[in-house]
Amino acid sequence: WFDIAPPGPGTLIAEITDDDAGIVTLGTMFGVKYYGLTYNNVSVNSNGFFAMGTNDYRFGDNSGIPDTHGPPAMLAPFWDDLDPSAGGDIYTWMDLANHKRIFQFEEVPIWGTSDTQTFQVILLDQDYHDTPSGDGQIMLVYETVTNPVACTVGIENPDETSGIQYLFNGEYDPHAAT
């Protein structure tokens, strides 16, 4: 865990940090190869999910993976009805020395509760961090998870026909460590 929230080096994502169901598309700073396609931007949603490329899906009513519900090319570190308008913040930082882009949800509560979540999505530049497939590495990192009973964790392809579901509504995949 490398904390980018203050006093760390991160920059507040002002467009969504105080918005319930907000979304913003940001540049990745390097091409990110995801399921064989290269993306130069990522849509970040305040409900705890990301979509590679530009997307305007913004809802916190999560589903399993794969499913056509939700955005295509999704990264779901903690897809739930999160509410940063009630507290917490969302940050980003480009770690140029280590060739990675970090996004951090800092103490963001689940809507209508005081249960806060702190987690990161880290995109690694595949030109510096090789993989057997040539796709970029994506790390989902957690500092504090207080209530994972209604969230989805996993990734999904751009066609929404394949993916890896790690957790859905409190049920772990049989191959996932709890």
Side-chain angles (χ1 to χ4, degrees):
W1 182 266
F2 180 77
D3 197 354
I4 66 168
T11 302
L12 187 70
I13 305 176
E15 296 90 341
I16 62 170
T17 200
D18 291 326
D19 192 359
D20 182 24
I23 191 164
V24 63
T25 299
L26 302 171
T28 56
M29 308 298 238
F30 49 83
V32 176
K33 194 170 181 184
Y34 182 71
Y35 281 96
L37 300 173
T38 300
Y39 296 89
N40 292 306
N41 50 35
V42 62
S43 297
V44 183
N45 188 285
S46 64
N47 280 315
F49 65 87
F50 296 65
M52 297 308 296
T54 301
N55 195 284
D56 62 359
Y57 185 88
R58 62 183 64 243
F59 305 104
D61 57 334
N62 61 307
S63 63
I65 293 174
D67 195 304
T68 56
H69 181 82
M74 179 173 59
L75 312 172
F78 199 98
W79 180 18
D80 199 347
D81 192 0
L82 299 182
D83 188 7
S85 70
D89 286 308
I90 305 169
Y91 299 92
T92 188
W93 181 59
M94 180 62 193
D95 181 352
L96 295 172
N98 295 299
H99 309 282
K100 52 182 144 176
R101 179 81 186 252
I102 303 172
F103 299 91
Q104 181 170 324
F105 282 59
E106 177 72 19
E107 296 182 5
V108 176
I110 295 172
W111 187 88
T113 75
S114 60
D115 296 329
T116 62
Q117 320 308 313
T118 299
F119 59 90
Q120 294 179 334
V121 170
I122 304 171
L123 305 174
L124 285 84
D125 186 343
Q126 65 272 358
D127 290 341
Y128 296 89
H129 303 275
D130 293 333
T131 65
S133 70
D135 281 353
Q137 291 183 53
I138 300 165
M139 297 172 58
L140 308 179
V141 183
Y142 302 87
E143 184 183 64
T144 306
V145 174
T146 59
N147 192 352
V149 298
C151 70
T152 299
V153 177
I155 63 172
E156 187 174 71
N157 73 348
D159 296 331
E160 299 178 277
T161 57
S162 181
I164 300 170
Q165 178 178 289
Y166 194 84
L167 177 71
F168 173 60
N169 286 349
E171 296 290 323
Y172 286 92
D173 181 88
H175 301 97
T178 58

